[in-house]
């Protein structure tokens, strides 16, 4: 499995910063959002459609935060090339989700927290299968 | 947060023999990304690839791609290292915060760390499972 496309129903053209449980050994001074992260914070760059493609390990790590309100769309055989270094700096609008999810941001819009939780018990394949059957 | 040359490499340039001499033009150089939640690069104490926790290496030391088209040029009293842009094929793993450049001897305990870069545009990087390309600056990777 190369990549998994996730979609946010309301956010797009921004970097969704999702805090995870794991702490950095030393606080991380993030050049992307100009902030110190004490916990691992996954930076998800949502495109104009609200989509982002992630690797399987990232997908697994997002389970702890109920996928931060993201929907699982489909498997992507060959994700687009990503670049690092001497490239144009993207215009980054950062939206942060803290670990406690106190504002209910981990629940997908339209789903109860229980439905969001139940998604975590499905494997990627099961999840993708149910997404396909819905569509 | 800053890019840096490892102290061990600075010493190596001056002939300090903790590790074999690094000939950046003729030796094989490798790069892996670093998941800093598993290991924070330390300019002073990290010396070779074995000092980077295996969990922090993305991809692993054994799968790290090597630089090609490496050149060292002298200009304006500076020595500049440059290379062809580097591609990581189908990179998978956790989000990474920086990358290490090292001499790749094939054995991590003898592969001297050269530099760590964490301010490049695109970092932190959340892998998508697709190819990732490091585009080196037109003025080179680093200069002394």
């Amino acid at each position: 499995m190369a990549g998994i496309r996730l979609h946010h129903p309301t956010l797009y053209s921004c970097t969704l910063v999702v805090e995870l449980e794991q702490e950095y050994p030393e606080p991380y001074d993030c050049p992307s959002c100009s902030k110190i992260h004490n916990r691992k914070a996954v930076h998800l760059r949502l495109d104009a459609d609200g989509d982002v493609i992630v690797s399987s390990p990232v997908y697994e790590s997002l389970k702890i935060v109920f996928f931060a309100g993201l929907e699982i769309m489909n498997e992507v055989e060959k994700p687009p090339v990503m670049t690092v270094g001497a490239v144009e700096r993207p215009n980054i609008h950062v939206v942060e989700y803290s670990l406690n999810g106190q504002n209910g941001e981990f629940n997908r819009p339209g789903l109860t927290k229980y439905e969001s939780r139940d998604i975590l018990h499905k494997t990627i394949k099961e999840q993708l299968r149910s997404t396909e059957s819905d569509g | 947060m800053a890019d840096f040359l490892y102290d061990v490499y600075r010493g190596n340039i001056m002939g300090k023999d903790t590790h074999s001499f690094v000939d950046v033009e003729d030796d094989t150089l490798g790069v892996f990304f670093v998941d800093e939640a598993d290991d924070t690069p330390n300019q002073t104490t990290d010396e070779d690839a074995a000092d980077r926790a295996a969990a922090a290496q993305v991809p692993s030391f054994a799968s790290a791609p090597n630089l090609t088209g490496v050149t060292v040029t002298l200009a304006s009293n500076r020595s500049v290292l440059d290379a062809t842009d580097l591609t990581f094929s189908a990179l998978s793993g956790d989000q990474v915060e920086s990358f290490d450049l090292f001499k790749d001897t094939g054995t991590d305990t003898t592969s001297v760390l050269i530099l760590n870069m964490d301010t490049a545009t695109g970092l932190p990087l959340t892998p998508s499972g697709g190819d990732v390309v490091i585009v080196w600056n037109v003025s080179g990777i680093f200069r002394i």
Side-chain angles (χ1 to χ4, degrees):
Chain A
M1 180 173 290
I4 301 152
R5 178 179 282 114
L6 305 176
H7 171 78
H8 199 283
T10 55
L11 299 175
Y12 58 92
S13 299
C14 67
T15 298
L16 181 59
V17 180
V18 182
E19 201 175 46
L20 303 179
E21 228 173 14
Q22 188 180 15
E23 288 187 18
Y24 282 109
E26 292 175 21
Y28 172 57
D29 189 354
C30 180
S32 179
C33 46
S34 305
K35 188 180 179 245
I36 304 281
H37 297 299
N38 292 309
R39 294 180 183 279
K40 182 81 173 178
V42 178
H43 294 62
L44 302 169
R45 298 203 164 89
L46 303 180
D47 64 16
D49 297 321
D51 292 349
V52 62
I53 301 169
V54 298
S55 63
S56 300
V58 174
Y59 172 90
E60 292 296 327
S61 69
L62 288 172
K63 283 186 172 179
I64 190 77
V65 291
F66 295 71
F67 298 111
L70 292 151
E71 298 170 0
I72 298 142
M73 301 301 286
N74 60 331
E75 188 179 342
V76 181
E77 203 62 47
K78 194 166 171 52
V81 173
M82 303 175 82
T83 52
V84 172
V87 294
E88 190 179 352
R89 188 173 287 276
N91 184 14
I92 296 170
H93 168 64
V94 176
V95 179
E96 286 181 72
Y97 280 7
S98 60
L99 183 63
N100 61 23
Q102 58 191 356
N103 296 322
E105 58 262 64
F106 297 158
N107 301 344
R108 280 194 221 162
L111 292 185
T112 67
K113 65 180 179 181
Y114 302 108
E115 289 169 326
S116 295
R117 180 202 60 197
D118 291 346
I119 292 169
L120 303 182
H121 297 293
K122 293 182 180 177
T123 63
I124 297 176
K125 283 192 186 307
E126 286 171 335
Q127 187 56 232
L128 291 171
R129 213 176 295 134
S130 64
T131 306
E132 282 163 12
S133 61
D134 290 346
Chain B
M1 180 192 72
D3 304 335
F4 61 79
L5 292 176
Y6 284 96
D7 283 358
V8 67
Y9 177 63
R10 293 169 192 263
N12 190 283
I13 294 170
M14 301 297 279
K16 199 168 167 56
D17 56 359
T18 54
H19 293 74
S20 61
F21 178 70
V22 180
D23 180 339
V24 289
E25 207 166 24
D26 293 329
D27 286 338
T28 302
L29 304 180
V31 177
F32 51 53
F33 286 99
V34 182
D35 177 355
E36 295 195 11
D38 291 320
D39 189 1
T40 305
N42 187 307
Q43 181 177 10
T44 309
T45 58
D46 290 345
E47 296 194 345
D48 48 54
D51 289 327
R52 184 68 55 244
Q57 301 170 6
V58 181
S60 66
F61 170 76
S63 305
N66 296 131
L67 293 189
T68 58
V70 177
T71 59
V72 175
T73 54
L74 295 171
S76 305
N77 294 325
R78 290 183 184 133
S79 177
V80 181
L81 175 73
D82 203 356
T84 306
D85 293 343
L86 183 64
T87 300
F88 295 74
S89 298
L91 187 72
S92 187
D94 289 330
Q95 175 187 273
V96 293
E97 286 77 18
S98 65
F99 60 82
D100 279 331
L101 171 69
F102 57 88
K103 170 180 172 175
D104 190 350
T105 64
T107 305
D108 59 0
T109 51
T110 57
S111 293
V112 182
L113 293 168
I114 297 173
L115 67 78
N116 177 271
M117 217 173 262
D118 67 356
T119 61
T121 301
L123 293 174
L125 174 85
T126 305
S128 65
D131 292 354
V132 174
V133 178
I134 296 181
V135 180
W136 303 116
N137 195 298
V138 288
S139 58
I141 300 172
F142 73 91
R143 54 190 172 181
I144 297 173

